[in-house]
Amino acid sequence: SNFTNSMGNAIFHSASSEQFKKFTEIYIDNSKFISTTYEPAYSESGFANTESPAGGGDHYGGAIYSQANILNITNSLIKGNVMSQGDGMMYVVFRGAGIYASNNNCINTTFDANQVLGGVMGEGFDKNGAGIYATKNAYVLNSTFINNVVNKENGGAIYAESNLIVENSLFSNNKDPKGYSSITFLNR
């Protein structure tokens, strides 16, 4: 699969009940997610068009948003995906320009030049995880994270809220303004 120059998410998986979330497993292999972009539209009055899959001012998963129990990605490229607040003054939450998922396994996958960009508002406005934003468990094996950027908050490559295992992977030139560069890990 090859997804290029699309607005919003290339893959959007929403589960309406806890049963669907609990038993759903998604497999993605040998795929490319390139240059998906999300930037809210601002009118002259300064209000944002906040319609998104997550609703309200919350925008999750620039390329892939999944509520599946497990998201498996192998042998894939996730590159140049951008979530940007632009010049808007509205409070907007951005999480995971590449992937936003609960439990995910990334094997032999490259994350390159993904960006989560806040606008003119000050720091502390929840712009996290340029490559991966994981709400539960993340397992990363033989993967590469290069040139991923978060300009307001944390997790230039990965932002993990819970369990994180990284094995035999390369992290290079990932940036965030707080100096955590590649991985921000919270154990809640």
Side-chain angles (χ1 to χ4, degrees), residues 29-136:
D29 184 44
N30 198 28
S31 298
K32 295 178 183 178
F33 299 89
I34 301 171
S35 299
T36 66
T37 301
Y38 181 82
E39 182 172 331
Y42 292 90
S43 67
E44 290 179 18
S45 65
F47 293 100
N49 171 5
T50 58
E51 294 179 7
S52 73
D58 297 344
H59 305 281
Y60 303 149
I64 301 169
Y65 172 88
S66 175
Q67 290 183 338
N69 183 42
I70 300 173
L71 173 65
N72 299 289
I73 299 177
T74 56
N75 306 310
S76 294
L77 173 66
I78 299 173
K79 180 178 181 176
N81 300 288
V82 178
M83 298 179 89
S84 174
Q85 189 173 352
D87 294 330
M89 294 282 296
M90 296 291 289
Y91 174 80
V92 181
V93 172
F94 289 140
R95 294 180 178 168
I99 297 172
Y100 178 91
S102 295
N103 299 300
N104 61 66
N105 300 314
C106 293
I107 300 170
N108 297 323
T109 295
T110 297
F111 294 81
D112 182 11
N114 298 291
Q115 300 178 60
V116 175
L117 305 173
V120 296
M121 296 187 86
E123 292 184 31
F125 288 98
D126 207 348
K127 314 284 187 287
N128 297 301
I132 297 173
Y133 190 105
T135 62
K136 291 185 182 172

Side-chain angles (χ1 to χ4, degrees), residues 101-169:
S102 295
N103 299 300
N104 61 66
N105 300 314
C106 293
I107 300 170
N108 297 323
T109 295
T110 297
F111 294 81
D112 182 11
N114 298 291
Q115 300 178 60
V116 175
L117 305 173
V120 296
M121 296 187 86
E123 292 184 31
F125 288 98
D126 207 348
K127 314 284 187 287
N128 297 301
I132 297 173
Y133 190 105
T135 62
K136 291 185 182 172
N137 303 303
Y139 176 64
V140 177
L141 175 66
N142 298 329
S143 293
T144 301
F145 293 81
I146 54 174
N147 305 316
N148 299 290
V149 175
V150 172
N151 77 337
K152 291 286 184 190
E153 286 293 314
N154 303 306
I158 300 172
Y159 187 95
E161 289 185 6
S162 193
N163 299 315
L164 173 65
I165 297 171
V166 177
E167 295 183 88
N168 198 34
S169 295

